[in-house]
Amino acid sequence: MSNKICTISPSTNKVIFEHPGTSPDEARQLAIAAQDAFKSYKQIPLPERKAIIVKALNLIDADKETLAQELTTQMGRPISYSTKEIDTMRKRAEYLLDIVDDSLKNLPGQPENGFRRFLKKEPVGVAFISTAWNYPYLITINTLVPALLAGNAVLLRPSPQTPLVGERLQSIFTQAGLPPNVFQLIHCGSPDTLDQIVALPQISLVSFTGSTAGGLRLREATARRVVPVNLELGGNDATYVRSDADISYVAAQVVDGAVFNSGQSCCSIERVYVHADVHDVFVTAVQKELESYKLGTPVDPTTNVGPVISPQAVRTINAHITDALSKGAIDATPANPTFTSPPAEGNYVAPRLLVNVSHEMQTMREETFGPVIPVMKVGSDDEAIALMNDSDYGLTASVWTKDIAAGETLIERIEAGTVYINRCDYPSPDLAWVGWKNSGLGCTLGPHAFDAFYKLKSFHIKEAQV
């Protein structure tokens, strides 16, 4: 498979970036340079590393309109939302800056007369970070900032779909004062080449965000090395609407949670379970909500549903819809002129509301990663929870109810890394972003955001004898 990067804009299907790809030998040289840079960078005091990060964030802010336009061109998000990703990225980075001193401080051992013991947190070395295209600034900052603050060197492999994000971040962090070779880029379009790169002995940590299949492949590629592999993978996230929920509010939130970013979020709502008592009124409310959505070109500021990432994504989403309809699902999507007249060029998939769905359908078992809202009627809380847990994935899940106590009892039973009541599709920086089951390994954000980027060293010192 070719290692060449050829980025095609999802809104025009025109090439916007090309790169020959970093060869395994070139990657080896980059890794050696990173290892050398790490030796001096780890000695830089934490306050100086923090100052570099702050300066980089300020430079990003100063250029965020240009960065947002590039983001829209690369991955198709409507321009009205692209600057918000960069704003949210800054908030995450500021949280990480707020907790870094406590996160990296030494840990004392138990007192004992004549001895001194403590644990020191040392950077791991060269961190290889591979990020995804759907929220490239947010996903990258989750790992890049902790890695650099902890004193590591970084080899960043941006997604081939959003390579300019990597290019811009490297330039900005260098301009902010990061020493040479501490932050370098690897462009890689071939899984075979990626397998060889992560096996390089200079790499001390692999952090990957992407598909579950891609994460499993990286684990296999590193299996003969003792190297930590942190994975943020896919989801098939579920939501349950109880009979006492505020239906008009919930319908708006569920549609947004399923359709935002054209459904291309690892934590998008992909399965909707609704109590039979409110099923019909909920479906009607969702239909009304969808009538106000606009599918269109992402450069139009009034668009709120843009293209999906590729022709292959179009085929996968449509295959899931076709499979559901062939097995008894009913298309309940309301009339919306923008859904039936998308732009002539680009990878457009209109939001679809499906009812009468079941777990025999692909869209209820697999990650559709598109603007599809499958709704399944349930008769009780117990049935809903059993169906929500009947999945190989476990990233997020949500329950909608006016009875918060009952809701808390239910979310305790859900097998997912993040659970919500009356909210969805929101990674909070102060909580761990963690996948259960096939949705991940390790975590980012929250009080343990730095854990992957340091190793512990125990100091056991017998004090001098008089």
Side-chain angles (χ1 to χ4, degrees), residues 20 26 30 51 114 140 191 206 270 280 301 317 329 336 340 344 355 368 446:
E26 289 170 332
L30 292 173
T140 302
V206 175
E270 296 214 5
D280 292 352
I317 296 163
N336 182 317
T340 53
V355 298
T368 302

Side-chain angles (χ1 to χ4, degrees), residues 258-270:
V259 173
F260 184 79
N261 208 39
S262 298
Q264 299 171 124
S265 306
C266 55
C267 55
S268 290
I269 290 177
E270 296 214 5

Side-chain angles (χ1 to χ4, degrees), residues 53 57 60-61 64 83-99 137-138 141-142 145 423 426-430 445-446:
I53 300 299
L57 293 174
I60 290 169
D61 268 350
K64 71 178 177 180
T83 55
K84 294 178 182 178
E85 176 175 345
I86 297 173
D87 290 338
T88 304
M89 178 203 70
R90 170 136 203 168
K91 292 177 181 178
R92 290 191 183 181
E94 288 176 342
Y95 167 78
L96 295 167
L97 286 163
D98 286 344
I99 69 168
Y137 282 102
L138 289 178
I141 218 69
N142 288 356
V145 165
R423 197 175 197 180
Y426 184 86
S428 184
D430 58 322
L445 301 179

